[in-house]
Amino acid sequence: MAAKGSDQPRVGMTAVYPGSFDPVTYGHVDIVERAARVFDKVVLGVGRHPSKRCFFSQEERRRLLQESVSHLDNVVAESFDGLVVNFCKDKDARVIVRGLRATLDFESEFQMGQANRDIAPDIETIFFFCAPHGQFISSSLVKEIASHQGDYRRYVPACVYEATEKRFAELGTGG
Ligand code: COA
């Protein structure tokens, strides 16, 4: 049965959690579950990082993300192009959620957060510390392990595992 983040009162706001999600990992799911307990609604924005060449198409990334959070009824995954702050305005969201893994993400998140605040001062970025056991997980790491036939099942939802195996099989490498 679909469940909201919790029965506790939440902040009466919509938050956007943007990312490449190529593919979504349990680390992302942990952030989504916690954001869903805090905010009324969480819109997951599947965007394009300017310098990343994605393994899955944007629609495939969105579909896998939606399936991975289907147990949360106040969360929806949508694709977007352009600036994340414009996507926030479209969704009537005044908060951007991002996950922070120890020191790994700080420099880039600091820069992106400052830029977003400069171009859209009404939108705040709120960070959630990633769970200690997932600090080292990243989408690239999952793809690297998969490409060398390693076991990465504990890092990703089952639908992501199946889709990744299928994609590598189609490419004739890894998986
Ligand atoms: N668990 C596991 N991994 C995590 C994680 C968590 N909780 N939080 C972050 N990561 C990892 C991701 O797996 C990803 O790994 P990868 O680099 O190996 O793919 C990495 O951290 C960061 O990726 P992600 O959080 O998906 O975001 P991103 O850096 O790819 O940014 C956008 C993508 C879409 C948010 C960003 O490029 C964007 O906003 N673009 C639109 C243009 C714009 O508005 N730019 C900002 C203003 S200039």
Side-chain angles (χ1 to χ4, degrees):
M1 192 180 77
K4 274 205 173 134
S6 90
D7 293 334
Q8 300 296 317
R10 288 179 301 276
V11 179
M13 276 184 183
T14 297
V16 161
Y17 177 15
S20 303
F21 303 108
D22 186 40
V24 54
T25 69
Y26 278 135
H28 294 119
V29 173
D30 170 58
I31 302 289
V32 180
E33 286 173 343
R34 286 156 56 202
R37 287 200 290 269
V38 173
F39 297 102
D40 251 10
K41 185 177 177 188
V42 180
V43 181
L44 308 177
V46 180
R48 294 173 200 270
H49 188 285
S51 60
K52 283 185 183 171
R53 196 166 157 266
C54 284
F55 183 69
F56 289 108
S57 72
Q58 195 173 18
E59 173 49 24
E60 185 73 344
R61 287 180 278 137
R62 188 207 64 78
R63 187 188 67 73
L64 292 170
L65 184 55
Q66 184 67 66
E67 200 172 330
S68 304
V69 298
S70 59
H71 56 296
L72 301 166
D73 70 1
N74 59 337
V75 178
V76 63
E78 297 185 20
S79 299
F80 77 98
D81 288 306
L83 293 177
V84 70
V85 291
N86 289 343
F87 180 64
C88 290
K89 286 174 188 165
D90 282 352
K91 298 294 145 193
D92 213 11
R94 284 194 288 126
V95 172
I96 296 172
V97 164
R98 295 286 288 167
L100 213 52
R101 292 167 301 169
T103 55
L104 208 63
D105 298 319
F106 186 77
E107 289 294 334
S108 56
E109 292 299 332
F110 181 77
Q111 189 183 31
M112 193 157 74
Q114 297 282 33
N116 284 333
R117 186 152 188 272
D118 206 50
I119 53 182
D122 292 345
I123 299 175
E124 287 293 342
T125 302
I126 293 183
F127 294 100
F128 286 71
F129 287 119
C130 297
H133 58 270
Q135 294 278 343
F136 64 95
I137 304 173
S138 72
S139 304
S140 300
L141 193 86
V142 161
K143 288 175 284 191
E144 189 179 335
I145 297 170
S147 74
H148 296 291
Q149 296 91 36
D151 185 4
Y152 57 98
R153 259 175 290 208
R154 61 190 174 282
Y155 306 138
V156 294
C159 61
V160 173
Y161 178 75
E162 281 160 27
T164 307
E165 291 294 293
K166 187 164 174 271
R167 182 98 177 90
F168 273 116
E170 284 163 3
L171 293 170
T173 52

